[in-house]
Amino acid sequence: RRVAQAISAQALGARGEHHAASMATYSVELRVQIRGGEEGVVKIEVHPEWSPVGAAHFKELVEMGFYNQARFHRVLQGFIAQVGIAADPELYNKYGTNRIKDDPVKQQNVRGMVTFAKRGEPDSRSCQFFFNTVDNTRLDADGFAPFAKVVSGMEFIDMLQVTEGVDQQALKEEGNKYLDKFFPGKVSEILEAKVV
């Protein structure tokens, strides 16, 4: 029975990857609040040929509004700006824990590339993604597969508030209420993400 289940899962995965690979390039616009009333628009171009599974998954999450009001909980100067834990813990629990299969790394993690975060184990990508704010090609060998690139608004990513020390488990459990309590006004936010 386990062998049959594994074969069935492999077949479904192969079909999903084939569908994702046939997707066309698409764009996503992120309206970002940097601090207070300061906003900017970041446009990214998503390339399914670079990361078919990642590109298809990202589109699904954007279209359902998963990233609206998500905050940049990990912004490390000279490295990355990471976001992707839903503002609403119920939404996170429903969709944020769905893992996807790894894609082979076809592009380098250079400045302006957008990549799903993952743990140090296979097929551990889910909802968090990051912007490479510098050349991070050392991440390539660890299986971090870029799926998109910034085509405009990278200056707004550079302006994000530096954010360290966020307890990701608390953020997953409490959503933005946790950030409002412990990091009031200190975390930049995606106000809205939409496919354009």
Side-chain angles (χ1 to χ4, degrees):
R1 182 177 165 90
R2 283 186 183 166
V3 172
Q5 286 175 334
I7 291 170
S8 174
Q10 274 185 327
L12 284 172
R15 280 201 301 273
E17 287 168 23
H18 175 72
H19 170 71
S22 65
M23 286 177 62
T25 298
Y26 65 93
S27 296
V28 171
E29 208 171 75
L30 307 170
R31 191 163 56 89
V32 175
Q33 179 175 313
I34 298 156
R35 64 181 54 76
E38 193 175 358
E39 294 182 15
V41 174
V42 179
K43 189 172 183 180
I44 64 174
E45 190 175 77
V46 181
H47 287 263
E49 72 274 16
W50 295 351
S51 175
V53 176
H57 185 62
F58 185 68
K59 189 172 189 180
E60 288 172 10
L61 292 172
V62 169
E63 288 179 336
M64 75 172 60
F66 186 88
Y67 295 118
N68 295 345
Q69 286 82 53
R71 297 190 185 162
F72 286 87
H73 62 275
R74 187 169 178 241
V75 180
L76 307 176
Q77 279 188 318
F79 185 38
I80 61 166
Q82 187 167 322
V83 66
I85 297 174
D88 177 355
E90 286 185 30
L91 187 62
Y92 175 80
N93 287 331
K94 189 169 183 179
Y95 299 106
T97 56
N98 297 338
R99 292 180 172 203
I100 59 171
K101 289 176 64 71
D102 288 335
D103 284 308
V105 178
K106 295 181 179 176
Q107 298 292 316
Q108 293 188 307
N109 282 280
V110 294
R111 175 174 162 79
M113 297 298 262
V114 185
T115 306
F116 271 108
K118 62 190 228 98
R119 296 184 185 94
E121 56 193 56
D123 303 329
S124 59
R125 299 181 299 169
S126 58
C127 57
Q128 295 186 53
F129 66 97
F130 61 86
F131 293 84
N132 287 285
T133 56
V134 296
D135 289 356
N136 291 315
T137 54
R138 67 184 184 278
L139 297 177
D140 302 347
D142 294 327
F144 289 92
F147 64 88
K149 67 178 179 180
V150 175
V151 292
S152 65
M154 189 64 192
E155 67 271 22
F156 300 118
I157 298 298
D158 291 334
M159 293 166 63
L160 296 174
Q161 298 181 76
V162 173
T163 308
E164 297 182 55
V166 169
D167 180 338
Q168 289 192 34
Q169 192 56 44
L171 178 55
K172 292 170 184 176
E173 292 170 3
E174 300 174 40
N176 282 358
K177 287 180 183 175
Y178 161 77
L179 296 173
D180 290 341
K181 182 176 180 181
F182 293 102
F183 298 85
K186 297 177 181 174
V187 185
S188 301
E189 177 177 323
I190 295 175
L191 297 171
E192 183 184 25
K194 61 183 180 181
V195 177
V196 292

